[in-house]
Amino acid sequence: MTSTSIARRAVDTRSLPVYRAGGVVMPYVITGMAERVERETVWAPHSHPTHELLWNRAGASTATIGSRTWTITPSVGL
């Protein structure tokens, strides 16, 4: 295995804050964000103060919520 193929298999790990349900007052707004994830990335367990929509323009990803794992593809949002 070459060092290039090892680098491609590396996994990024990210952390985000954990919020108590209703712990942050947010105004009613709809915003968008785009991020291109170039390699396998794992986020530590976390929560969001607002609802989120996960959608992939290309490729597939998974999200585990509680004991359920969801697969998100370009034709399916979560």
Side-chain angles (χ1 to χ4, degrees):
M1 190 176 288
T2 67
S3 61
T4 303
S5 62
I6 291 170
R8 280 192 210 132
R9 292 183 57 211
V11 176
D12 286 339
T13 301
R14 299 186 186 179
S15 297
L16 295 171
V18 175
Y19 294 96
R20 179 178 49 82
V24 176
V25 176
M26 300 294 290
Y28 179 79
V29 295
I30 297 174
T31 61
M33 182 191 117
E35 178 179 12
R36 185 177 183 131
V37 179
E38 296 288 337
R39 62 185 184 179
E40 185 175 350
T41 303
V42 175
W43 280 266
H46 63 278
S47 61
H48 300 269
T50 60
H51 297 289
E52 298 232 337
L53 171 66
L54 301 176
W55 176 75
N56 294 335
R57 186 175 296 188
S61 59
T62 60
T64 300
I65 302 163
S67 63
R68 299 180 80 178
T69 298
W70 303 84
T71 299
I72 302 130
T73 63
S75 63
V76 176
L78 174 67

